Amino acid sequence: MGVRRVAVKDESARLGLPAFKALGVFYAVYRVVQARLGTDVAPDLGSLRAAARRIPPCSW
């Protein structure tokens, strides 16, 4: 095949999430929660869950 080298980046420990796609979803939700609260949220699952509970329900 002519491949000399393959590089792999281990993302398994990043933010405590096991998969790359889960990381993308986490990041998107993280950004929405920060925007809705208008404040910074620590980038970990526990902090995100706690912050999301503080967002008032949508009226639409």
Side-chain angles (χ1 to χ4, degrees), residues 15-17 26 33 41-54:
L15 298 175
L17 298 170
F26 176 87
V33 168
V41 177
D44 63 78
L45 196 52
S47 297
L48 180 61
R49 282 182 177 153
R53 288 187 195 109
R54 297 190 333 248

Side-chain angles (χ1 to χ4, degrees), residues 3-15:
V3 177
R4 292 179 145 206
R5 190 171 93 187
V6 174
V8 177
K9 183 177 178 187
D10 181 8
E11 297 281 346
S12 64
R14 191 170 177 188
L15 298 175

